Amino acid sequence: MKKYISDVVEAFYATARVDVLIGYHFLRIENFEEHLPRIKAFWELQLLGETSFEFNPPLDVIKAHIPLRVHTGEVNRWVILFNKTLKESEAPEELKVKWEQKVFHFQKIFLSNPLLFPSS
């Protein structure tokens, strides 16, 4: 399963990093290639319940995204691109279903978080 997770994450970010709507966010991440193992480990933890990666500093997904000042439409674009990548992947169907559910869960968490999207 870890290979499928790795493959999907790499395929997604190859697309997202050059996307006209959200690609600019990834330009802000110094040494993005060094960041990929952390992203893969995050999804391993979400999908498999474990990872051998040691998060240092500890994982706080919302806090990590605050400096990016993402817009709601960008979160939705991320979800669209991610789900498209997932559907096109060779991952087993049960992994795809679980992953789509997790993506939807995080979409709701992001869009409803006042730290990312304060009320006007």
Side-chain angles (χ1 to χ4, degrees):
M1 289 293 184
K2 287 184 178 185
K3 180 181 180 347
Y4 293 117
I5 292 170
S6 178
D7 290 349
V8 169
V9 168
E10 289 196 23
F12 168 73
Y13 283 101
T15 299
R17 291 175 70 192
V18 296
D19 184 74
V20 67
L21 297 176
I22 64 173
Y24 74 98
H25 285 295
F26 304 103
L27 296 175
R28 299 176 183 172
I29 300 171
E30 197 172 311
N31 289 324
F32 187 82
E33 294 303 317
E34 291 177 13
H35 188 61
L36 274 175
R38 189 173 175 90
I39 298 169
K40 291 175 187 179
F42 167 79
W43 283 115
E44 287 174 7
L45 196 57
Q46 297 305 310
L47 300 166
L48 306 176
E50 62 184 20
T51 184
S52 58
F53 187 89
E54 185 177 325
F55 288 97
N56 190 15
L59 183 62
D60 185 336
V61 177
I62 297 297
K63 186 177 176 183
H65 288 84
I66 291 172
L68 297 177
R69 297 186 193 167
V70 296
H71 301 278
T72 56
E74 293 170 335
V75 172
N76 294 330
R77 176 67 174 174
W78 186 97
V79 170
I80 288 167
L81 291 176
F82 198 91
N83 284 335
K84 182 179 184 298
T85 303
L86 190 56
K87 281 180 177 49
E88 294 171 353
S89 77
E90 296 180 6
E93 195 59 32
E94 65 271 13
L95 181 64
K96 290 180 181 183
V97 169
K98 185 174 185 178
W99 212 335
E100 286 174 348
Q101 292 168 345
K102 289 287 185 177
V103 167
F104 179 70
H105 171 74
F106 281 104
Q107 180 184 26
K108 288 191 322 187
I109 287 173
F110 268 65
L111 293 177
S112 66
N113 193 295
L115 294 174
L116 290 172
F117 306 105
S119 306
S120 301

